[in-house]
Amino acid sequence: MKAVTRSPALYVSIEEAARIAGVSEHMMREWANSPIDHIPYIPSGKKKLIRVAAIADYAIGKEAP
């Protein structure tokens, strides 16, 4: 039987994005809900799906100087 391989997701839930970034879900929600500079996401019903490719760059931008 042929093994099924999954392509990496382009977008993930806030919970998964927080795990990837190593921050709390609360922090990721703050990043997604920021009115000025939010992390890139797409709305999916009541949820926000975070763009995986943007997580590292966004987190680096939040580092203290």
Side-chain angles (χ1 to χ4, degrees):
M1 179 177 272
K2 190 174 185 180
V4 177
T5 57
R6 286 183 61 187
S7 297
L10 298 176
Y11 291 86
V12 295
S13 66
I14 284 182
E15 296 81 8
E16 181 67 10
R19 188 192 64 74
I20 291 167
V23 300
S24 69
E25 288 180 28
H26 178 78
M27 176 67 70
M28 187 58 67
R29 287 183 200 288
E30 285 185 358
W31 290 357
N33 293 326
S34 174
I36 298 170
D37 178 34
H38 61 78
I39 192 166
Y41 70 87
I42 56 173
S44 178
K46 293 181 179 181
K47 296 182 178 184
K48 293 178 179 177
L49 298 176
I50 308 299
R51 183 172 6 121
V52 174
I55 295 171
D57 288 340
Y58 189 86
I60 290 168
K62 292 295 185 181
E63 290 179 358

